Amino acid sequence: MPANVTFILGGAASGKSAYAEQLCLNSGKSRVYWATAQIFDSEMRAKVSRHLEQRGSGWTTVEEPETAARVLGVLAPGQICLMDCATMWLTNHLLADHDLQAAQDGLLAAVDQCRADLVIVSNETGLGIVPENALARRFREAQGRLNIALAARADTVVQVTAGLPLVLKGAL
């Protein structure tokens, strides 16, 4: 039986991660947190610490910045996995100068084959101004394509703004 995929979109500090965590808690399933961020400085270390404290106990955390199959390929029915977040995952690939289409294809294949329920968090980056540099424009375009592909596969898509959910696809 294919997994149920919920895709949560929102801007920075919109409440999307807290909302996604609550969905996982409410599921009653064994919870896995797929952390995609890499810690390179004290600011990110503090953010990760805040997220750990906010989540509380009862989560198995898997730190994997790039390879979706390593995380999603070992999950089982009865589990729910929160990927937080697709934006950091994409950034890791972009900055490593990987083939973004190949990376996206690998992620989507892993999502399709995952046997656990998934909650995927991602930033909506297309609502602002056109970035002034080529790298930022490349990122914005790649993030938009990734979000479109994930939303197409998801059973439910939710936009979170100011901590408030708006269902765009499916039902909660």
Side-chain angles (χ1 to χ4, degrees), residues 1-3 69 72-73 75 106-116 118:
M1 181 166 128
L72 303 183
L75 298 176
L107 173 62
L108 296 174
V111 167
D112 289 345
Q113 295 169 15
C114 184
R115 298 180 305 141
L118 298 174

Side-chain angles (χ1 to χ4, degrees), residues 129-144:
I129 61 172
V130 176
E132 55 83 28
N133 68 74
L135 179 62
R137 287 189 299 273
R138 183 175 175 223
F139 168 74
R140 183 195 60 179
E141 292 301 316
Q143 185 67 62

